[in-house]
Amino acid sequence: MPAALTATPAASGDMLLVGRALARDGDAFRTIIKTHNQRLYRIARGVVRNDSEAEDIVQEAYVSAFAHLESFRGDASLATWLSRIVINEALGRLRKRRRMVAMPENPQAEIIRFPLNPSDDPERTMAQRQILELVERATDSLPDVYRMVFVARVIKGLSIEETAELLGVRPETIKTRLHRARALVRKALDDQIGPVLLDAFPFAGRRCERLTNAVMQRLGLSG
């Protein structure tokens, strides 16, 4: 069960939205889900390295969070509170997976195929695709302890302090792990790391709508 938090003025918008959700306002639930879908999916995907499992993790995390929504008190943002639940769910999946099956030394990660603008020049599209695949593979190949920091800090854009709070470690530890993660990714990409990271692990369109509808249905608020 998520830990209770203490209210602060900065979280007043979150508190209003949570209050509406506690009153079983369907629009409030849908707003929460659609606002945080992409962030939470990226975090889950960064941990488990599988897009369909990440989607399932986010759905389960929402159901768990909404079942204990009264424990949210606004000390941290709703985004951080939900992110912690997603990370706990994702890490639990990893532990369960490792108990069931011995992990190979170099597992073949599942690579997300990113949609590109069909109006782009074909050669440019191909180049973008190749770079994105390099980014995906490099990120997926990172050891867990570095990958979670890299996804949160570089791909999601969280601050050092936010990442430390999210993962429950000291900021100095985040800095050390991030330095190592960047070195590993740079090596894998042969110094081609750059702004393309902003487009990694997308979550929008039909997948976002599908997950939102699935959670709403499980909450009995569909239709």
Side-chain angles (χ1 to χ4, degrees):
M1 174 177 172
L5 302 174
T6 306
T8 64
S12 59
D14 286 341
M15 294 302 297
L16 289 173
L17 194 58
V18 167
R20 288 171 51 201
L22 287 171
R24 302 294 290 177
D25 181 337
D27 287 340
F29 281 108
R30 188 172 290 274
T31 296
I32 291 172
I33 295 167
K34 287 198 167 185
T35 298
H36 301 287
N37 264 347
Q38 181 166 321
R39 173 195 182 106
L40 300 182
Y41 174 78
R42 286 176 173 176
I43 291 172
R45 176 59 175 73
V47 175
V48 299
R49 297 183 287 183
N50 180 288
D51 53 335
S52 60
E53 187 174 10
E55 187 174 337
D56 184 57
I57 286 168
V58 173
Q59 184 178 151
E60 292 300 322
Y62 276 131
V63 172
S64 175
F66 291 145
H68 303 99
L69 200 56
E70 74 283 350
S71 69
F72 177 75
R73 295 292 180 266
D75 182 56
S77 69
L78 185 59
T80 298
W81 189 72
L82 291 170
S83 296
R84 289 172 181 164
I85 299 172
V86 166
I87 280 189
N88 287 336
E89 176 71 21
L91 291 177
R93 297 289 184 98
L94 277 185
R95 287 191 291 268
K96 182 177 180 181
R97 182 194 301 171
R98 287 167 179 165
R99 284 196 299 266
M100 295 174 62
V101 181
M103 296 289 288
E105 287 188 12
N106 295 299
Q108 182 63 41
E110 178 178 339
I111 303 301
I112 301 174
R113 298 296 175 184
F114 297 117
L116 296 175
N117 188 343
S119 65
D120 283 344
D121 176 79
E123 291 186 2
R124 180 184 177 193
T125 299
M126 180 61 71
Q128 289 176 332
R129 173 71 70 190
Q130 291 171 344
I131 292 172
L132 284 174
E133 288 181 351
L134 285 173
V135 173
E136 294 160 17
R137 290 194 180 98
T139 303
D140 281 348
S141 68
L142 289 172
D144 294 345
V145 68
Y146 299 129
R147 191 174 66 255
M148 285 186 287
V149 171
F150 189 76
V151 169
R153 181 72 180 95
V154 178
I155 294 178
K156 189 61 195 79
L158 300 184
S159 68
I160 292 290
E161 291 72 20
E162 289 171 327
T163 304
E165 182 181 13
L166 187 63
L167 299 179
V169 298
R170 297 180 304 146
E172 293 76 12
T173 302
I174 295 297
K175 292 177 183 178
T176 300
R177 292 178 183 176
L178 180 60
H179 178 78
R180 178 59 177 159
R182 280 175 165 159
L184 290 171
V185 170
R186 285 193 187 101
K187 181 179 179 182
L189 294 178
D190 192 23
D191 295 327
Q192 293 186 65
I193 190 171
V196 292
L197 289 178
L198 297 176
D199 295 325
F201 308 134
F203 192 92
R206 285 176 292 180
R207 171 170 282 165
C208 179
E209 190 65 29
R210 182 175 67 248
L211 191 147
T212 299
N213 290 336
V215 174
M216 295 294 288
Q217 186 173 7
R218 290 181 65 176
L219 294 172
L221 296 168
S222 59

